[in-house]
Amino acid sequence: MCYFFSTLVPSGKKIEKFMKTLITNIKQLVQVEKEPRTWVAGKDMAHLECIENAYLLVEDQKIAAFGKMETLNKEAIEKGTDFLKEVDATGRLVLPSFCDSHTHLVYAGSREIEYIDKIRGLSYEEIARRGGGILNSAERMRKASEEELFDSALARIEEIAAFGTGAVEIKSGYGLETESELKMLRVIRRLKEATPLLIKSTFLGAHAVPAEYRNDQTGYVNTIINEMIPAIAAEELADYIDVFCDKGFFTVEDTDRMLNAGMKYGMRAKIHANELDYSGGVQVGVKYNAVSVDHLEYIGPEEIECLLESETMPTVLPGAAFFLNMPYSPVRKMIEAGLPVALASDYNPGSSPSGNMKFIMSLGCINYKMLPEEVIHATTINSAYAMGVEEEAGSIAVGKQANFYITKPIPGIEYLPYAYTSNLIDTVFLKGCLLYTSPSPRD
């Protein structure tokens, strides 16, 4: 089946499905793999496999073949099919779609008033203590209908798809009570069914302690373990379980209990860790074989050593650090130590109100001193691993889902993070279907 979002299709354009699509004359086919990898780590992150003057063949939603134009046998491709679409990519790059492994894009209403509070000097923790932040979103979430949440989240999905994202992880965590958490996760399930993106859902009931449990944090943890997790598992609503293990939020002991409970119901861990201080979140995440530990503004030799001995992906969220003016995670130290690093948007209404992964690449280069090759790995194959879709997405490899985008004419990969506010995406394919094409000057 071929999907498309009507809001992404310029007026007068017709989106069609073809049994085969052939992209020809590609200036540079980026992030190609003959032998698919799980992730890319350490000094290998500075090397990016590309093919100059390339072609890419898509068949039945999958990548079927690729190579240099001089090796293309077009007659063999055309044989036996009347449904071949050819796209000329002269002067343009083709890259695998971004994989955004950490978002909160199901929410009810923006929080621009808190943005003004931040400008006036209030800290994240001060805003939270005044009932703002996550608790503000939780209050709105409880009042919103499932239909309202679905419609607003679908608009955000359309937005990030046009920005080049083909896979996204979405968390609950603005409900903070059983029915509202279930409501959020049901919306995420509907998004999985209604859109062509690869979507993973994460239960984050331990995002904050709700007001009614302010003096009984252990009681709220018990509610998560004894009530929320079983209810969510009964409807098979979550792929992962997450905990905000950090200063002022949930302790290592709380986190240990909740991850253990989630694991018993088949939910693998993902952790919010070390955003506000050295919290022990990295270590408890590794203990439970978390697929990723995210934020990592505070990370030292002990955390790096712990991660080196694990299968857990360190994931940095440059948008949140930028928006909140927080310390930057020591990405260079992690890469130099031999770790892989993923980057994600943290798209949410309070601390990172953007899902533009191209901008995240730019922040990776500007603020974290990552090379263009490194940020491409960090937003594709490594972030695919961080959300458990590395076998389907994150690179150009035969058999993987045909999720990719074609740029406008640009000099090379370096231009993508360099031109940090320019829209450089011309065409988006998801599941082998043309999802979005940018209007030409005459449209």
Side-chain angles (χ1 to χ4, degrees), residues 382-407:
N382 286 359
S383 51
Y385 178 87
M387 58 180 289
V389 297
E390 71 278 6
E391 294 183 1
E392 302 169 85
S395 65
I396 303 295
V398 172
K400 284 196 174 184
Q401 200 167 102
N403 289 3
F404 59 91
Y405 63 89
I406 304 174
T407 71

mmCIF file with all atom_site columns, all heavy atoms in Angstrom, residues 382-407:
data_model
loop_
_atom_site.group_PDB
_atom_site.id
_atom_site.type_symbol
_atom_site.label_atom_id
_atom_site.label_alt_id
_atom_site.label_comp_id
_atom_site.label_asym_id
_atom_site.label_entity_id
_atom_site.label_seq_id
_atom_site.pdbx_PDB_ins_code
_atom_site.Cartn_x
_atom_site.Cartn_y
_atom_site.Cartn_z
_atom_site.occupancy
_atom_site.B_iso_or_equiv
_atom_site.pdbx_formal_charge
_atom_site.auth_seq_id
_atom_site.auth_comp_id
_atom_site.auth_asym_id
_atom_site.auth_atom_id
_atom_site.pdbx_PDB_model_num
ATOM 1   N N   . ASN A 1 382 ? 23.207 4.896  13.766 1.00 0.00 ? 382 ASN A N   1
ATOM 2   C CA  . ASN A 1 382 ? 23.298 4.813  15.226 1.00 0.00 ? 382 ASN A CA  1
ATOM 3   C C   . ASN A 1 382 ? 21.971 5.122  15.900 1.00 0.00 ? 382 ASN A C   1
ATOM 4   O O   . ASN A 1 382 ? 21.597 4.482  16.894 1.00 0.00 ? 382 ASN A O   1
ATOM 5   C CB  . ASN A 1 382 ? 24.400 5.739  15.747 1.00 0.00 ? 382 ASN A CB  1
ATOM 6   C CG  . ASN A 1 382 ? 25.788 5.189  15.471 1.00 0.00 ? 382 ASN A CG  1
ATOM 7   O OD1 . ASN A 1 382 ? 25.941 4.110  14.907 1.00 0.00 ? 382 ASN A OD1 1
ATOM 8   N ND2 . ASN A 1 382 ? 26.812 5.927  15.846 1.00 0.00 ? 382 ASN A ND2 1
ATOM 9   N N   . SER A 1 383 ? 21.249 6.104  15.377 1.00 0.00 ? 383 SER A N   1
ATOM 10  C CA  . SER A 1 383 ? 19.946 6.412  15.968 1.00 0.00 ? 383 SER A CA  1
ATOM 11  C C   . SER A 1 383 ? 18.914 5.352  15.610 1.00 0.00 ? 383 SER A C   1
ATOM 12  O O   . SER A 1 383 ? 17.956 5.130  16.354 1.00 0.00 ? 383 SER A O   1
ATOM 13  C CB  . SER A 1 383 ? 19.477 7.815  15.555 1.00 0.00 ? 383 SER A CB  1
ATOM 14  O OG  . SER A 1 383 ? 19.536 7.988  14.154 1.00 0.00 ? 383 SER A OG  1
ATOM 15  N N   . ALA A 1 384 ? 19.110 4.665  14.470 1.00 0.00 ? 384 ALA A N   1
ATOM 16  C CA  . ALA A 1 384 ? 18.238 3.520  14.158 1.00 0.00 ? 384 ALA A CA  1
ATOM 17  C C   . ALA A 1 384 ? 18.416 2.438  15.222 1.00 0.00 ? 384 ALA A C   1
ATOM 18  O O   . ALA A 1 384 ? 17.431 1.856  15.710 1.00 0.00 ? 384 ALA A O   1
ATOM 19  C CB  . ALA A 1 384 ? 18.556 2.973  12.775 1.00 0.00 ? 384 ALA A CB  1
ATOM 20  N N   . TYR A 1 385 ? 19.669 2.155  15.588 1.00 0.00 ? 385 TYR A N   1
ATOM 21  C CA  . TYR A 1 385 ? 19.924 1.172  16.642 1.00 0.00 ? 385 TYR A CA  1
ATOM 22  C C   . TYR A 1 385 ? 19.280 1.633  17.956 1.00 0.00 ? 385 TYR A C   1
ATOM 23  O O   . TYR A 1 385 ? 18.712 0.810  18.704 1.00 0.00 ? 385 TYR A O   1
ATOM 24  C CB  . TYR A 1 385 ? 21.426 0.976  16.844 1.00 0.00 ? 385 TYR A CB  1
ATOM 25  C CG  . TYR A 1 385 ? 21.737 0.009  17.969 1.00 0.00 ? 385 TYR A CG  1
ATOM 26  C CD1 . TYR A 1 385 ? 21.804 -1.359 17.729 1.00 0.00 ? 385 TYR A CD1 1
ATOM 27  C CD2 . TYR A 1 385 ? 21.920 0.463  19.283 1.00 0.00 ? 385 TYR A CD2 1
ATOM 28  C CE1 . TYR A 1 385 ? 22.050 -2.254 18.763 1.00 0.00 ? 385 TYR A CE1 1
ATOM 29  C CE2 . TYR A 1 385 ? 22.163 -0.420 20.314 1.00 0.00 ? 385 TYR A CE2 1
ATOM 30  C CZ  . TYR A 1 385 ? 22.234 -1.778 20.059 1.00 0.00 ? 385 TYR A CZ  1
ATOM 31  O OH  . TYR A 1 385 ? 22.466 -2.661 21.087 1.00 0.00 ? 385 TYR A OH  1
ATOM 32  N N   . ALA A 1 386 ? 19.365 2.926  18.251 1.00 0.00 ? 386 ALA A N   1
ATOM 33  C CA  . ALA A 1 386 ? 18.855 3.458  19.521 1.00 0.00 ? 386 ALA A CA  1
ATOM 34  C C   . ALA A 1 386 ? 17.342 3.349  19.641 1.00 0.00 ? 386 ALA A C   1
ATOM 35  O O   . ALA A 1 386 ? 16.797 3.569  20.726 1.00 0.00 ? 386 ALA A O   1
ATOM 36  C CB  . ALA A 1 386 ? 19.285 4.915  19.695 1.00 0.00 ? 386 ALA A CB  1
ATOM 37  N N   . MET A 1 387 ? 16.650 3.009  18.551 1.00 0.00 ? 387 MET A N   1
ATOM 38  C CA  . MET A 1 387 ? 15.217 2.768  18.641 1.00 0.00 ? 387 MET A CA  1
ATOM 39  C C   . MET A 1 387 ? 14.842 1.382  18.122 1.00 0.00 ? 387 MET A C   1
ATOM 40  O O   . MET A 1 387 ? 13.677 1.071  17.922 1.00 0.00 ? 387 MET A O   1
ATOM 41  C CB  . MET A 1 387 ? 14.420 3.848  17.904 1.00 0.00 ? 387 MET A CB  1
ATOM 42  C CG  . MET A 1 387 ? 14.739 4.021  16.447 1.00 0.00 ? 387 MET A CG  1
ATOM 43  S SD  . MET A 1 387 ? 13.735 5.316  15.651 1.00 0.00 ? 387 MET A SD  1
ATOM 44  C CE  . MET A 1 387 ? 12.125 4.525  15.628 1.00 0.00 ? 387 MET A CE  1
ATOM 45  N N   . GLY A 1 388 ? 15.875 0.540  17.887 1.00 0.00 ? 388 GLY A N   1
ATOM 46  C CA  . GLY A 1 388 ? 15.629 -0.856 17.567 1.00 0.00 ? 388 GLY A CA  1
ATOM 47  C C   . GLY A 1 388 ? 15.163 -1.138 16.158 1.00 0.00 ? 388 GLY A C   1
ATOM 48  O O   . GLY A 1 388 ? 14.524 -2.167 15.906 1.00 0.00 ? 388 GLY A O   1
ATOM 49  N N   . VAL A 1 389 ? 15.525 -0.270 15.183 1.00 0.00 ? 389 VAL A N   1
ATOM 50  C CA  . VAL A 1 389 ? 15.102 -0.494 13.790 1.00 0.00 ? 389 VAL A CA  1
ATOM 51  C C   . VAL A 1 389 ? 16.301 -0.569 12.856 1.00 0.00 ? 389 VAL A C   1
ATOM 52  O O   . VAL A 1 389 ? 16.172 -0.353 11.656 1.00 0.00 ? 389 VAL A O   1
ATOM 53  C CB  . VAL A 1 389 ? 14.112 0.589  13.317 1.00 0.00 ? 389 VAL A CB  1
ATOM 54  C CG1 . VAL A 1 389 ? 12.832 0.554  14.137 1.00 0.00 ? 389 VAL A CG1 1
ATOM 55  C CG2 . VAL A 1 389 ? 14.740 1.981  13.345 1.00 0.00 ? 389 VAL A CG2 1
ATOM 56  N N   . GLU A 1 390 ? 17.480 -0.907 13.381 1.00 0.00 ? 390 GLU A N   1
ATOM 57  C CA  . GLU A 1 390 ? 18.691 -0.914 12.560 1.00 0.00 ? 390 GLU A CA  1
ATOM 58  C C   . GLU A 1 390 ? 18.654 -1.947 11.444 1.00 0.00 ? 390 GLU A C   1
ATOM 59  O O   . GLU A 1 390 ? 19.371 -1.807 10.441 1.00 0.00 ? 390 GLU A O   1
ATOM 60  C CB  . GLU A 1 390 ? 19.930 -1.113 13.438 1.00 0.00 ? 390 GLU A CB  1
ATOM 61  C CG  . GLU A 1 390 ? 20.113 -2.503 14.031 1.00 0.00 ? 390 GLU A CG  1
ATOM 62  C CD  . GLU A 1 390 ? 19.304 -2.769 15.287 1.00 0.00 ? 390 GLU A CD  1
ATOM 63  O OE1 . GLU A 1 390 ? 18.475 -1.908 15.671 1.00 0.00 ? 390 GLU A OE1 1
ATOM 64  O OE2 . GLU A 1 390 ? 19.493 -3.851 15.889 1.00 0.00 ? 390 GLU A OE2 1
ATOM 65  N N   . GLU A 1 391 ? 17.828 -2.976 11.572 1.00 0.00 ? 391 GLU A N   1
ATOM 66  C CA  . GLU A 1 391 ? 17.718 -3.974 10.502 1.00 0.00 ? 391 GLU A CA  1
ATOM 67  C C   . GLU A 1 391 ? 16.813 -3.519 9.369  1.00 0.00 ? 391 GLU A C   1
ATOM 68  O O   . GLU A 1 391 ? 16.818 -4.103 8.279  1.00 0.00 ? 391 GLU A O   1
ATOM 69  C CB  . GLU A 1 391 ? 17.212 -5.305 11.057 1.00 0.00 ? 391 GLU A CB  1
ATOM 70  C CG  . GLU A 1 391 ? 18.199 -5.969 12.012 1.00 0.00 ? 391 GLU A CG  1
ATOM 71  C CD  . GLU A 1 391 ? 17.725 -7.327 12.492 1.00 0.00 ? 391 GLU A CD  1
ATOM 72  O OE1 . GLU A 1 391 ? 16.625 -7.756 12.063 1.00 0.00 ? 391 GLU A OE1 1
ATOM 73  O OE2 . GLU A 1 391 ? 18.447 -7.956 13.290 1.00 0.00 ? 391 GLU A OE2 1
ATOM 74  N N   . GLU A 1 392 ? 16.036 -2.459 9.610  1.00 0.00 ? 392 GLU A N   1
ATOM 75  C CA  . GLU A 1 392 ? 15.099 -1.953 8.606  1.00 0.00 ? 392 GLU A CA  1
ATOM 76  C C   . GLU A 1 392 ? 15.476 -0.590 8.060  1.00 0.00 ? 392 GLU A C   1
ATOM 77  O O   . GLU A 1 392 ? 15.063 -0.230 6.945  1.00 0.00 ? 392 GLU A O   1
ATOM 78  C CB  . GLU A 1 392 ? 13.698 -1.838 9.219  1.00 0.00 ? 392 GLU A CB  1
ATOM 79  C CG  . GLU A 1 392 ? 13.130 -3.120 9.788  1.00 0.00 ? 392 GLU A CG  1
ATOM 80  C CD  . GLU A 1 392 ? 11.881 -2.851 10.601 1.00 0.00 ? 392 GLU A CD  1
ATOM 81  O OE1 . GLU A 1 392 ? 10.798 -2.788 9.999  1.00 0.00 ? 392 GLU A OE1 1
ATOM 82  O OE2 . GLU A 1 392 ? 11.995 -2.687 11.830 1.00 0.00 ? 392 GLU A OE2 1
ATOM 83  N N   . ALA A 1 393 ? 16.226 0.189  8.806  1.00 0.00 ? 393 ALA A N   1
ATOM 84  C CA  . ALA A 1 393 ? 16.445 1.594  8.452  1.00 0.00 ? 393 ALA A CA  1
ATOM 85  C C   . ALA A 1 393 ? 17.856 2.022  8.837  1.00 0.00 ? 393 ALA A C   1
ATOM 86  O O   . ALA A 1 393 ? 18.633 1.261  9.404  1.00 0.00 ? 393 ALA A O   1
ATOM 87  C CB  . ALA A 1 393 ? 15.408 2.472  9.165  1.00 0.00 ? 393 ALA A CB  1
ATOM 88  N N   . GLY A 1 394 ? 18.204 3.255  8.490  1.00 0.00 ? 394 GLY A N   1
ATOM 89  C CA  . GLY A 1 394 ? 19.458 3.851  8.928  1.00 0.00 ? 394 GLY A CA  1
ATOM 90  C C   . GLY A 1 394 ? 20.586 3.823  7.928  1.00 0.00 ? 394 GLY A C   1
ATOM 91  O O   . GLY A 1 394 ? 21.627 4.430  8.166  1.00 0.00 ? 394 GLY A O   1
ATOM 92  N N   . SER A 1 395 ? 20.398 3.137  6.797  1.00 0.00 ? 395 SER A N   1
ATOM 93  C CA  . SER A 1 395 ? 21.447 3.098  5.778  1.00 0.00 ? 395 SER A CA  1
ATOM 94  C C   . SER A 1 395 ? 20.830 2.686  4.450  1.00 0.00 ? 395 SER A C   1
ATOM 95  O O   . SER A 1 395 ? 19.685 2.227  4.392  1.00 0.00 ? 395 SER A O   1
ATOM 96  C CB  . SER A 1 395 ? 22.568 2.124  6.164  1.00 0.00 ? 395 SER A CB  1
ATOM 97  O OG  . SER A 1 395 ? 22.084 0.791  6.207  1.00 0.00 ? 395 SER A OG  1
ATOM 98  N N   . ILE A 1 396 ? 21.601 2.852  3.390  1.00 0.00 ? 396 ILE A N   1
ATOM 99  C CA  . ILE A 1 396 ? 21.208 2.374  2.066  1.00 0.00 ? 396 ILE A CA  1
ATOM 100 C C   . ILE A 1 396 ? 21.785 0.972  1.917  1.00 0.00 ? 396 ILE A C   1
ATOM 101 O O   . ILE A 1 396 ? 22.987 0.796  1.705  1.00 0.00 ? 396 ILE A O   1
ATOM 102 C CB  . ILE A 1 396 ? 21.735 3.300  0.950  1.00 0.00 ? 396 ILE A CB  1
ATOM 103 C CG1 . ILE A 1 396 ? 21.237 4.738  1.154  1.00 0.00 ? 396 ILE A CG1 1
ATOM 104 C CG2 . ILE A 1 396 ? 21.354 2.757  -0.422 1.00 0.00 ? 396 ILE A CG2 1
ATOM 105 C CD1 . ILE A 1 396 ? 19.744 4.925  1.022  1.00 0.00 ? 396 ILE A CD1 1
ATOM 106 N N   . ALA A 1 397 ? 20.950 -0.033 2.073  1.00 0.00 ? 397 ALA A N   1
ATOM 107 C CA  . ALA A 1 397 ? 21.389 -1.428 2.008  1.00 0.00 ? 397 ALA A CA  1
ATOM 108 C C   . ALA A 1 397 ? 20.282 -2.258 1.383  1.00 0.00 ? 397 ALA A C   1
ATOM 109 O O   . ALA A 1 397 ? 19.094 -2.022 1.649  1.00 0.00 ? 397 ALA A O   1
ATOM 110 C CB  . ALA A 1 397 ? 21.727 -1.953 3.401  1.00 0.00 ? 397 ALA A CB  1
ATOM 111 N N   . VAL A 1 398 ? 20.652 -3.212 0.564  1.00 0.00 ? 398 VAL A N   1
ATOM 112 C CA  . VAL A 1 398 ? 19.676 -4.071 -0.097 1.00 0.00 ? 398 VAL A CA  1
ATOM 113 C C   . VAL A 1 398 ? 18.848 -4.807 0.958  1.00 0.00 ? 398 VAL A C   1
ATOM 114 O O   . VAL A 1 398 ? 19.384 -5.398 1.903  1.00 0.00 ? 398 VAL A O   1
ATOM 115 C CB  . VAL A 1 398 ? 20.374 -5.073 -1.040 1.00 0.00 ? 398 VAL A CB  1
ATOM 116 C CG1 . VAL A 1 398 ? 19.378 -6.099 -1.581 1.00 0.00 ? 398 VAL A CG1 1
ATOM 117 C CG2 . VAL A 1 398 ? 21.043 -4.337 -2.198 1.00 0.00 ? 398 VAL A CG2 1
ATOM 118 N N   . GLY A 1 399 ? 17.532 -4.752 0.782  1.00 0.00 ? 399 GLY A N   1
ATOM 119 C CA  . GLY A 1 399 ? 16.623 -5.416 1.702  1.00 0.00 ? 399 GLY A CA  1
ATOM 120 C C   . GLY A 1 399 ? 16.059 -4.513 2.776  1.00 0.00 ? 399 GLY A C   1
ATOM 121 O O   . GLY A 1 399 ? 15.057 -4.863 3.411  1.00 0.00 ? 399 GLY A O   1
ATOM 122 N N   . LYS A 1 400 ? 16.694 -3.365 3.001  1.00 0.00 ? 400 LYS A N   1
ATOM 123 C CA  . LYS A 1 400 ? 16.145 -2.426 3.979  1.00 0.00 ? 400 LYS A CA  1
ATOM 124 C C   . LYS A 1 400 ? 14.969 -1.667 3.369  1.00 0.00 ? 400 LYS A C   1
ATOM 125 O O   . LYS A 1 400 ? 14.807 -1.588 2.143  1.00 0.00 ? 400 LYS A O   1
ATOM 126 C CB  . LYS A 1 400 ? 17.217 -1.438 4.455  1.00 0.00 ? 400 LYS A CB  1
ATOM 127 C CG  . LYS A 1 400 ? 18.193 -2.043 5.434  1.00 0.00 ? 400 LYS A CG  1
ATOM 128 C CD  . LYS A 1 400 ? 18.988 -0.977 6.180  1.00 0.00 ? 400 LYS A CD  1
ATOM 129 C CE  . LYS A 1 400 ? 19.861 -1.581 7.278  1.00 0.00 ? 400 LYS A CE  1
ATOM 130 N NZ  . LYS A 1 400 ? 20.559 -0.557 8.069  1.00 0.00 ? 400 LYS A NZ  1
ATOM 131 N N   . GLN A 1 401 ? 14.135 -1.120 4.249  1.00 0.00 ? 401 GLN A N   1
ATOM 132 C CA  . GLN A 1 401 ? 12.995 -0.344 3.803  1.00 0.00 ? 401 GLN A CA  1
ATOM 133 C C   . GLN A 1 401 ? 13.481 0.848  2.968  1.00 0.00 ? 401 GLN A C   1
ATOM 134 O O   . GLN A 1 401 ? 14.490 1.476  3.305  1.00 0.00 ? 401 GLN A O   1
ATOM 135 C CB  . GLN A 1 401 ? 12.198 0.131  5.013  1.00 0.00 ? 401 GLN A CB  1
ATOM 136 C CG  . GLN A 1 401 ? 10.771 0.522  4.696  1.00 0.00 ? 401 GLN A CG  1
ATOM 137 C CD  . GLN A 1 401 ? 9.953  0.685  5.954  1.00 0.00 ? 401 GLN A CD  1
ATOM 138 O OE1 . GLN A 1 401 ? 9.704  1.794  6.405  1.00 0.00 ? 401 GLN A OE1 1
ATOM 139 N NE2 . GLN A 1 401 ? 9.524  -0.423 6.543  1.00 0.00 ? 401 GLN A NE2 1
ATOM 140 N N   . ALA A 1 402 ? 12.754 1.146  1.890  1.00 0.00 ? 402 ALA A N   1
ATOM 141 C CA  . ALA A 1 402 ? 13.159 2.234  0.988  1.00 0.00 ? 402 ALA A CA  1
ATOM 142 C C   . ALA A 1 402 ? 12.711 3.572  1.552  1.00 0.00 ? 402 ALA A C   1
ATOM 143 O O   . ALA A 1 402 ? 11.785 4.214  1.064  1.00 0.00 ? 402 ALA A O   1
ATOM 144 C CB  . ALA A 1 402 ? 12.592 2.003  -0.405 1.00 0.00 ? 402 ALA A CB  1
ATOM 145 N N   . ASN A 1 403 ? 13.378 3.996  2.626  1.00 0.00 ? 403 ASN A N   1
ATOM 146 C CA  . ASN A 1 403 ? 13.163 5.294  3.267  1.00 0.00 ? 403 ASN A CA  1
ATOM 147 C C   . ASN A 1 403 ? 14.388 6.153  3.000  1.00 0.00 ? 403 ASN A C   1
ATOM 148 O O   . ASN A 1 403 ? 15.470 5.888  3.535  1.00 0.00 ? 403 ASN A O   1
ATOM 149 C CB  . ASN A 1 403 ? 12.984 5.133  4.778  1.00 0.00 ? 403 ASN A CB  1
ATOM 150 C CG  . ASN A 1 403 ? 11.661 4.497  5.159  1.00 0.00 ? 403 ASN A CG  1
ATOM 151 O OD1 . ASN A 1 403 ? 10.880 4.116  4.294  1.00 0.00 ? 403 ASN A OD1 1
ATOM 152 N ND2 . ASN A 1 403 ? 11.399 4.389  6.444  1.00 0.00 ? 403 ASN A ND2 1
ATOM 153 N N   . PHE A 1 404 ? 14.246 7.172  2.172  1.00 0.00 ? 404 PHE A N   1
ATOM 154 C CA  . PHE A 1 404 ? 15.389 8.021  1.828  1.00 0.00 ? 404 PHE A CA  1
ATOM 155 C C   . PHE A 1 404 ? 14.887 9.369  1.328  1.00 0.00 ? 404 PHE A C   1
ATOM 156 O O   . PHE A 1 404 ? 13.683 9.545  1.068  1.00 0.00 ? 404 PHE A O   1
ATOM 157 C CB  . PHE A 1 404 ? 16.269 7.353  0.761  1.00 0.00 ? 404 PHE A CB  1
ATOM 158 C CG  . PHE A 1 404 ? 15.568 7.029  -0.528 1.00 0.00 ? 404 PHE A CG  1
ATOM 159 C CD1 . PHE A 1 404 ? 15.531 7.937  -1.583 1.00 0.00 ? 404 PHE A CD1 1
ATOM 160 C CD2 . PHE A 1 404 ? 14.935 5.804  -0.698 1.00 0.00 ? 404 PHE A CD2 1
ATOM 161 C CE1 . PHE A 1 404 ? 14.869 7.635  -2.766 1.00 0.00 ? 404 PHE A CE1 1
ATOM 162 C CE2 . PHE A 1 404 ? 14.274 5.489  -1.879 1.00 0.00 ? 404 PHE A CE2 1
ATOM 163 C CZ  . PHE A 1 404 ? 14.243 6.408  -2.921 1.00 0.00 ? 404 PHE A CZ  1
ATOM 164 N N   . TYR A 1 405 ? 15.792 10.314 1.228  1.00 0.00 ? 405 TYR A N   1
ATOM 165 C CA  . TYR A 1 405 ? 15.427 11.616 0.652  1.00 0.00 ? 405 TYR A CA  1
ATOM 166 C C   . TYR A 1 405 ? 16.473 12.048 -0.366 1.00 0.00 ? 405 TYR A C   1
ATOM 167 O O   . TYR A 1 405 ? 17.633 11.641 -0.314 1.00 0.00 ? 405 TYR A O   1
ATOM 168 C CB  . TYR A 1 405 ? 15.226 12.682 1.735  1.00 0.00 ? 405 TYR A CB  1
ATOM 169 C CG  . TYR A 1 405 ? 16.433 13.018 2.575  1.00 0.00 ? 405 TYR A CG  1
ATOM 170 C CD1 . TYR A 1 405 ? 17.334 14.010 2.186  1.00 0.00 ? 405 TYR A CD1 1
ATOM 171 C CD2 . TYR A 1 405 ? 16.654 12.371 3.793  1.00 0.00 ? 405 TYR A CD2 1
ATOM 172 C CE1 . TYR A 1 405 ? 18.429 14.343 2.969  1.00 0.00 ? 405 TYR A CE1 1
ATOM 173 C CE2 . TYR A 1 405 ? 17.746 12.684 4.586  1.00 0.00 ? 405 TYR A CE2 1
ATOM 174 C CZ  . TYR A 1 405 ? 18.637 13.683 4.167  1.00 0.00 ? 405 TYR A CZ  1
ATOM 175 O OH  . TYR A 1 405 ? 19.719 13.996 4.946  1.00 0.00 ? 405 TYR A OH  1
ATOM 176 N N   . ILE A 1 406 ? 16.006 12.846 -1.303 1.00 0.00 ? 406 ILE A N   1
ATOM 177 C CA  . ILE A 1 406 ? 16.855 13.427 -2.338 1.00 0.00 ? 406 ILE A CA  1
ATOM 178 C C   . ILE A 1 406 ? 17.003 14.908 -2.024 1.00 0.00 ? 406 ILE A C   1
ATOM 179 O O   . ILE A 1 406 ? 16.009 15.602 -1.779 1.00 0.00 ? 406 ILE A O   1
ATOM 180 C CB  . ILE A 1 406 ? 16.240 13.241 -3.734 1.00 0.00 ? 406 ILE A CB  1
ATOM 181 C CG1 . ILE A 1 406 ? 15.968 11.762 -4.012 1.00 0.00 ? 406 ILE A CG1 1
ATOM 182 C CG2 . ILE A 1 406 ? 17.156 13.828 -4.813 1.00 0.00 ? 406 ILE A CG2 1
ATOM 183 C CD1 . ILE A 1 406 ? 15.222 11.498 -5.318 1.00 0.00 ? 406 ILE A CD1 1
ATOM 184 N N   . THR A 1 407 ? 18.221 15.385 -1.999 1.00 0.00 ? 407 THR A N   1
ATOM 185 C CA  . THR A 1 407 ? 18.454 16.803 -1.701 1.00 0.00 ? 407 THR A CA  1
ATOM 186 C C   . THR A 1 407 ? 18.214 17.667 -2.932 1.00 0.00 ? 407 THR A C   1
ATOM 187 O O   . THR A 1 407 ? 18.098 17.173 -4.054 1.00 0.00 ? 407 THR A O   1
ATOM 188 C CB  . THR A 1 407 ? 19.890 17.043 -1.224 1.00 0.00 ? 407 THR A CB  1
ATOM 189 O OG1 . THR A 1 407 ? 20.789 16.871 -2.339 1.00 0.00 ? 407 THR A OG1 1
ATOM 190 C CG2 . THR A 1 407 ? 20.269 16.117 -0.095 1.00 0.00 ? 407 THR A CG2 1
#
